[in-house]
Amino acid sequence: MESGERGCGGFASAVPADDYVHEITNNIRKDVELNIGRSTSDFTPTIARHGAVGGTAFYIIKIHLGNGEYAHARVQQNLDQTQSLVEVIDNQTESSPIKD
């Protein structure tokens, strides 16, 4: 499978965060920081995976929080393009894989 392609119903392979993923990440920053219980010195998406089910898009985004710390954020985007944070997995590393 080529980078960014996905199997039937699954998430695409991880690809570098593009401008759209940066926009999504900016939109969810406050929710992520609230969820992890702290403000961050950095908030830069590095890679992302994308999937869709029934007209709803899902993104799993690896975010650099500063000081070598990362989090994985699962984001839902509805047909009306509104985005909401579904889950945050804190205490990740640069080499932690982003999983479905």
Side-chain angles (χ1 to χ4, degrees), residues 7 9 20 22 27 33-34 40 56 61 65 68-69 73 75-76 78 80 83 86 88 92 94:
Y20 191 66
H22 279 264
N27 292 341
E33 290 179 334
L34 183 63
T40 61
T56 300
I61 306 168
L65 304 175
E69 296 180 56
V75 180
Q76 175 179 318
N78 298 311
D80 65 1
Q83 299 151 354
V86 175
V88 177
Q92 300 298 300
E94 184 175 9

Side-chain angles (χ1 to χ4, degrees), residues 4-69:
E5 289 184 6
R6 67 177 175 268
C8 182
F11 280 88
S13 7
V15 295
D18 61 15
D19 289 343
Y20 191 66
V21 170
H22 279 264
E23 180 182 325
I24 292 170
T25 305
N26 287 336
N27 292 341
I28 62 162
R29 181 174 185 157
K30 289 179 185 177
D31 291 331
V32 170
E33 290 179 334
L34 183 63
N35 190 285
I36 64 174
R38 66 184 186 279
S39 295
T40 61
S41 62
D42 190 8
F43 203 81
T44 305
T46 58
I47 58 175
R49 296 181 67 194
H50 173 264
V53 176
T56 300
F58 292 92
Y59 295 85
I60 305 172
I61 306 168
K62 178 179 282 209
I63 304 167
H64 183 241
L65 304 175
N67 301 318
E69 296 180 56

Side-chain angles (χ1 to χ4, degrees), residues 68-94:
E69 296 180 56
Y70 290 79
H72 297 170
R74 185 179 298 261
V75 180
Q76 175 179 318
Q77 179 173 287
N78 298 311
L79 287 172
D80 65 1
Q81 303 300 304
T82 57
Q83 299 151 354
S84 57
L85 180 66
V86 175
E87 176 184 32
V88 177
I89 303 170
D90 198 8
N91 300 313
Q92 300 298 300
T93 66
E94 184 175 9

